[in-house]
């Protein structure tokens, strides 16, 4: 995925800090310490804290097709996260490019 220049702004850093504090520094999927701020969707605004969650790096990699083996089977989200990883693997070769004018992700060939 192309690097979005909005990630380098002071405004984004403030949003990330608020999400980190709101989520108590914990991954909202597995409960381990979180480090990445993940957009659940892009069509509601890049800086919209309502569609951002804190995740650990391993959970963030689920959206890149990595199987969530680090999550306990008792976690009610595990089936959904496995499906997300399956879909991400099926989309391999495509990438989501953020469209600044429309505020959405557009899929196209990687590269």
């Amino acid at each position: 995925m192309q690097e979005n220049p909005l990630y380098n702004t002071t405004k984004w850093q403030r949003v990330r800090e608020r999400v980190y504090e709101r989520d108590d520094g914990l991954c909202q999927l597995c409960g381990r310490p979180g480090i990445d701020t993940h957009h659940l969707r892009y069509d509601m605004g890049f800086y919209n804290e309502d569609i951002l969650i804190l995740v650990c790096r391993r959970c963030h990699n689920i959206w890149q097709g990595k199987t969530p083996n680090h999550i306990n089977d008792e976690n009610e989200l595990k089936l959904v996260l496995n499906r997300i990883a399956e879909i991400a693997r099926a989309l391999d070769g495509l990438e989501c490019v953020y469209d600044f004018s429309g505020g959405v992700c557009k899929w196209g060939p990687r590269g």
Side-chain angles (χ1 to χ4, degrees):
M1 187 188 314
Q2 80 180 23
E3 179 64 30
N4 186 332
L6 295 178
Y7 289 124
N8 297 323
T9 64
T10 301
K11 184 174 182 178
W12 173 250
Q13 295 307 316
R14 282 192 219 119
V15 168
R16 283 190 78 236
E17 289 171 14
R18 285 194 300 270
V19 170
Y20 185 88
E21 290 173 13
R22 179 198 69 201
D23 293 346
D24 295 322
L26 299 175
C27 176
Q28 297 302 289
L29 301 175
C30 72
R32 291 182 171 90
I35 189 169
D36 293 342
T37 308
H38 177 69
H39 285 88
L40 294 171
R41 51 191 302 170
Y42 285 95
D43 63 337
M44 294 178 62
F46 188 82
Y47 301 108
N48 184 345
E49 295 174 35
D50 293 335
I51 50 96
L52 292 167
I53 61 171
L54 188 66
V55 293
C56 68
R57 185 63 44 91
R58 291 177 82 181
C59 281
H60 210 190
N61 287 337
I62 293 168
W63 280 269
Q64 305 303 318
K66 305 288 186 203
T67 304
N69 292 329
H70 67 290
I71 295 178
N72 295 330
D73 291 337
E74 296 80 32
N75 186 322
E76 60 190 33
L77 296 174
K78 186 154 186 179
L79 289 175
V80 172
L81 297 172
N82 272 319
R83 184 66 179 135
I84 290 170
E86 286 175 20
I87 292 167
R89 286 191 297 275
L91 293 172
D92 191 34
L94 297 176
E95 69 178 338
C96 180
V97 178
Y98 190 75
D99 174 17
F100 296 99
S101 62
V104 296
C105 236
K106 293 187 176 183
W107 290 94
R110 188 179 309 275

